[in-house]
DNA sequence: CCAAAAGTGTTCCGTCTACACCCATGG
DNA sequence: CCATGGGTGTAGACGGAACACTTTTGG
């Protein structure tokens, strides 16, 4: 071990995961009650410390994996949070990551192990430390990226109806969208393709199921 | 000092500043040669370690102040960089910040003290560690934010011609813009106001000098 | 007198928006 | 048979893009 910077103070470096899911036409956030001091019992994002032999990105993926059993999820850095007293007692700099998961893929056994809950985004409880700021920033980023990146495919199951897709857009943007205009836009980018399957669960008539085709959209706006 | 997290490893936390200026119709980046090991002599962004009694944001402002003598500059977090071996020898997580400064305000005595140089953005030398990635991400952010935030007022002197303003946009966006369309857009948002002053330096005929009025643009697109 | 930069409008085209009715079916 | 959600087209408004000539004056 070299000692180039001896005398310089170090800090704990953590990651916190803002995990979004989509269910019942609502955006949900995965929260848990903190199981360690300080802040035991408060609602909190899932997080963990960055190990010495993993990058910060890897730490975020690891934490998410430990929580959900899922790998290769959409994850994106939200930002570093470094107020002096953001953690009571110790100096912890935390790097927030936003993740999108398909709730249907989530291993439900893990709910109880981690005391995880899906909380409705517009009924958030008070959160530990600066976690609320992290969530707000993540939502703001989501709203921007939904216009240029195909992030919805991380939230929906493999097959879905156009109405479901529209609901995802509406939940993220926080506004309702005209059905005909929405379908026109979606069809003009060739983001999805129709399948032969029909969903009869949510409607009597039945709705065509679509899937994402893996074209990327380049420079497309919504 | 409490010891909630004893056993957890710590890391050095640093900030690095991507400092943009505008001169001679070009975007410039302030670089220096590293004056410490490791990497002594390599081209590098300016950075420093985060102290225990300052937030990460404050550390970034402090580093910028030490370098330029300027306070209250536009600064924006670019992101955290946390590869395991991004710093040779020690584990350093660095948080990059983008700053915009008016080159005319810069105290030129400080150039030599810090061996700072303004380097043309499209002739960047190889940079230390992951600093090039930081720069690329900062440029990408700049391109996005110029459409929604009045960042140009951080790059131009208090009084400027519309042609200068257009050159800033062109330099950041990396493409040329139609003069008439540009002026129409700028006038439709009321971003700037005409003054009685006339600049006779760059043209024989003389160009009207404008200044920013401090309206912010809310939700405006370019 | 001419080179060099400032300044100024119009037309066209594509995109976004608003808007309402019929369809299929399970219960 | 009716309630429920699925599916479809058009017209008007708006904003962005293309485009060229006149003005002023220092040298």
């Amino acid at each position: 071990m070299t000692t180039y910077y001896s005398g310089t103070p170090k800090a704990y470096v953590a990651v916190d995961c803002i995990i979004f899911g989509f269910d019942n036409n609502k955006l949900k956030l995965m929260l848990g009650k903190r199981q360690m001091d300080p802040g035991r019992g408060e609602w909190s994002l899932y997080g963990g410390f960055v190990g010495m032999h993993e990058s910060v990105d890897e730490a975020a993926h690891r934490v998410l994996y430990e929580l959900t059993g899922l790998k290769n999820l959409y994850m994106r850095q939200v930002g570093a949070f470094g107020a002096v007293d953001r953690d009571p007692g110790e100096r912890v700099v935390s790097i927030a990551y936003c993740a999108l998961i398909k709730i249907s893929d989530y291993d439900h056994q893990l709910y109880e192990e981690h005391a995880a809950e899906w909380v409705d985004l517009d009924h958030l409880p008070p959160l530990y430390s600066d976690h609320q700021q992290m969530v707000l920033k993540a939502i703001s980023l989501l709203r921007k990226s939904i216009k240029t990146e195909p992030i919805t495919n991380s939230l929906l199951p493999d097959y879905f109806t156009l109405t479901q897709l529209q609901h995802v857009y509406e939940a993220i943007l926080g506004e309702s969208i005209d059905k005909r205009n929405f379908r026109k836009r979606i069809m003009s980018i060739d983001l999805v393709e129709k399948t032969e399957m029909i969903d009869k669960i949510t409607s009597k008539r039945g709705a065509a199921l679509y899937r994402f085709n893996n074209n990327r959209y380049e420079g497309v706006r919504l």
Side-chain angles (χ1 to χ4, degrees), chain A:
Chain A
M1 175 71 83
T2 49
T3 54
Y4 289 119
Y5 309 131
S6 60
T8 306
K10 292 184 170 185
Y12 293 107
V13 178
V15 293
D16 283 301
C17 296
I18 300 125
I19 307 169
F20 292 105
F22 183 75
D23 191 34
N24 192 28
N25 295 343
K26 298 270 188 185
L27 263 192
K28 308 277 188 177
L29 189 59
M30 187 182 281
L31 294 177
K33 297 243 175 135
R34 250 177 96 84
Q35 298 178 321
M36 69 193 300
D37 282 315
R40 186 184 298 271
E42 291 183 51
W43 285 103
S44 160
L45 298 172
Y46 276 88
F49 289 102
V50 177
M52 282 303 102
H53 302 295
E54 62 183 355
S55 70
V56 175
D57 284 356
E58 285 160 2
H61 278 94
R62 173 181 54 77
V63 165
L64 193 60
Y65 175 73
E66 289 168 3
L67 178 62
T68 64
L70 301 174
K71 286 191 177 181
N72 298 320
L73 293 174
Y74 174 93
M75 280 198 100
R76 171 175 178 175
Q77 192 185 112
V78 169
F81 290 76
V84 172
D85 57 355
R86 59 175 296 283
D87 189 283
E90 298 274 9
R91 183 66 196 271
V92 182
V93 171
S94 183
I95 294 141
Y97 282 79
C98 168
L100 302 180
I101 88 177
K102 307 182 209 277
I103 288 191
S104 55
D105 286 357
Y106 183 69
D107 180 349
H108 288 239
Q109 295 186 341
L110 292 167
Y111 275 114
E112 290 138 29
E113 277 182 44
H114 295 95
E117 291 192 28
W118 287 108
V119 177
D120 213 291
L121 249 199
D122 31 52
H123 297 99
L124 283 191
L127 298 182
Y128 173 73
S129 181
D130 51 8
H131 287 191
Q132 166 132 4
Q133 286 175 54
M134 295 179 177
V135 172
L136 293 178
K137 188 160 178 201
I139 294 172
S140 154
L141 278 180
L142 263 195
R143 289 195 175 148
K144 285 176 188 153
S145 48
I146 199 176
K147 307 210 181 222
T148 52
E149 288 173 73
I151 59 176
T152 43
N153 61 9
S154 303
L155 287 167
L156 286 173
D158 292 344
Y159 297 92
F160 53 87
T161 68
L162 290 182
T163 303
Q164 282 178 286
L165 182 63
Q166 182 176 343
H167 286 318
V168 175
Y169 277 82
E170 290 175 332
I172 291 178
L173 294 172
E175 62 190 25
S176 57
I177 301 174
D178 179 86
K179 181 166 51 161
R180 280 172 290 189
N181 293 337
F182 177 77
R183 287 169 184 237
K184 252 182 299 174
R185 276 202 304 272
I186 292 300
M187 290 313 170
S188 69
I189 3 172
D190 63 339
L191 176 63
V192 297
E193 60 188 21
K194 203 171 187 169
T195 69
E196 296 303 312
M197 287 175 286
I198 303 237
D199 168 86
K200 305 277 284 188
I201 300 172
T202 54
S203 101
K204 302 179 175 175
R205 175 180 173 180
L209 283 167
Y210 286 73
R211 68 169 157 238
F212 292 97
N213 57 24
N214 291 325
N215 304 340
R216 59 206 159 305
Y217 30 13
E218 284 178 25
V220 180
R221 302 228 138 249
L222 183 58

